[in-house]
Amino acid sequence: MITRTVSKNPRTTRGDLVNDLQRAGTKVTKTTISNTLRRQGLKSCSARRVPLLKPVHVQARLKFAREHLDDPEEDWENVIWSDETKIELFGKNSTRRVWRRKNAELHPKNTIPTVKHGGGNIMLWGCFSAKGPGRLIRVKERMNGAMYREILSDKLLPSARALKMKCGWVFQHDNDPKHTARATKEWLRKKHFKVLEWPSQSPDLNPIENLWRELKVPVAQRQPQNFTALEEICMEEWAKIPATANKFQFSSWCLR
């Protein structure tokens, strides 16, 4: 009964199972339930966060996968991937473990500063290819189409030159309205950019998500105390990411 229940509804808690069995006349403990499920190869894990997909999104993702299924790795090496991301101050800088003596849990060195509603965040735009990271910039104002095109002009083109991209390289960005605006499309056309057709609701398909994690983990470990320090640390840690890390992230994506 226990295995059948959690197979039908993986979100069932041990407490739910204890109550269900008790109503059926059987008394068990949560530990017994955990052991029983573990013997069946089931263990409690954090649910992964994934994009909310409608049927039209599923079809678009399948179409994208089928169209590029047989593309050689060399083709993907000629793509510059881009994205925006938020970097949290305090709020999501994860749990850290410390070595401390008894009753020293409140010593400043053994604590992580927090604020009631989170410390806010900064927005970054960045890009990379299999050859290495491109430029990174903090977006200090609410981004609109004009600002996005300015970023592409000031950061994307120099990134392509610095990465020594081959002639005919391909640019990837998602379907954010700023990216798909008529003026942006016209700007890209005039610059003769080849743009990778991208399925909506597919941030998980972009290998730059792996690179963002490579950035966020060391930034969190350094515990910046204000937005100025947060920006400086982001730039420092981004500059430390070696080209080999980008190649690894890219190759892992190709093998998925």
Side-chain angles (χ1 to χ4, degrees):
M1 174 185 173
I2 295 175
T3 304
R4 184 168 62 251
T5 299
V6 299
S7 295
K8 287 182 178 179
N9 183 9
R11 297 184 184 183
T12 303
T13 67
R14 294 184 304 169
D16 293 335
L17 293 169
V18 168
N19 294 333
D20 290 345
L21 289 167
Q22 193 168 9
R23 283 191 292 268
T26 303
K27 186 176 182 180
V28 296
T29 65
K30 292 182 179 180
T31 300
T32 299
I33 288 174
S34 295
N35 292 337
T36 300
L37 292 174
R38 193 174 295 113
R39 286 195 294 269
Q40 297 299 318
L42 297 167
K43 64 178 182 178
S44 179
C45 303
S46 297
R48 294 288 185 90
R49 294 183 178 273
V50 298
L52 178 62
L53 300 178
K54 298 179 180 179
V56 64
H57 299 141
V58 174
Q59 292 303 316
R61 288 160 65 100
L62 283 173
K63 179 175 179 289
F64 176 84
R66 288 166 179 158
E67 288 178 348
H68 298 287
L69 184 62
D70 298 320
D71 289 1
E73 185 172 320
E74 290 74 19
D75 286 0
W76 295 113
E77 291 179 351
N78 209 33
V79 177
I80 291 184
W81 309 86
S82 72
D83 196 15
E84 296 93 30
T85 193
K86 291 180 180 179
I87 306 286
E88 298 286 337
L89 181 68
F90 300 133
K92 294 185 179 178
N93 280 357
S94 67
T95 300
R96 294 191 67 194
R97 303 188 69 84
V98 297
W99 292 98
R100 65 170 177 80
R101 298 183 185 278
K102 187 177 180 179
N103 299 325
E105 61 270 17
L106 296 180
H107 190 284
K109 292 196 298 185
N110 297 330
T111 62
I112 296 178
T114 62
V115 293
K116 185 174 181 180
H117 299 293
N121 58 69
I122 64 173
M123 175 74 75
L124 301 176
W125 178 93
C127 64
F128 91 110
S129 79
K131 297 181 179 180
R135 302 292 176 90
L136 183 71
I137 183 174
R138 177 183 175 185
V139 182
K140 294 186 178 181
E141 301 175 14
R142 185 178 179 85
M143 187 189 291
N144 55 28
M147 184 185 301
Y148 181 63
R149 293 188 291 276
E150 184 177 343
I151 288 174
L152 296 185
S153 179
D154 293 345
K155 301 300 178 181
L156 177 60
L157 292 173
S159 294
R161 289 192 290 269
L163 294 170
K164 298 181 180 179
M165 301 297 292
K166 295 180 181 178
C167 182
W169 59 271
V170 178
F171 174 54
Q172 181 277 337
H173 61 177
D174 61 26
N175 294 299
D176 184 284
K178 298 183 291 294
H179 304 171
T180 58
R182 181 180 301 178
T184 300
K185 287 183 176 180
E186 181 64 16
W187 186 89
L188 291 167
R189 187 189 66 78
K190 287 182 178 180
K191 295 293 183 180
H192 305 290
F193 281 11
K194 292 183 179 180
V195 180
L196 181 64
E197 185 176 351
W198 194 250
S200 297
Q201 286 293 96
S202 301
D204 55 320
L205 298 185
N206 191 342
I208 203 172
E209 294 300 325
N210 299 320
L211 203 60
W212 288 138
R213 177 171 174 78
E214 293 290 328
L215 173 66
K216 292 178 180 180
V217 169
V219 169
Q221 291 173 345
R222 292 179 62 177
Q223 300 182 35
Q225 300 297 302
N226 54 60
F227 289 131
T228 299
L230 179 59
E231 179 180 357
E232 291 177 353
I233 290 172
C234 284
M235 297 302 170
E236 290 172 5
E237 294 299 332
W238 181 264
K240 293 178 184 177
I241 299 175
T244 51
N246 294 269
K247 182 71 173 180
F248 172 75
Q249 303 290 2
F250 163 77
S251 298
S252 298
W253 177 85
C254 284
L255 293 171
R256 285 193 299 188

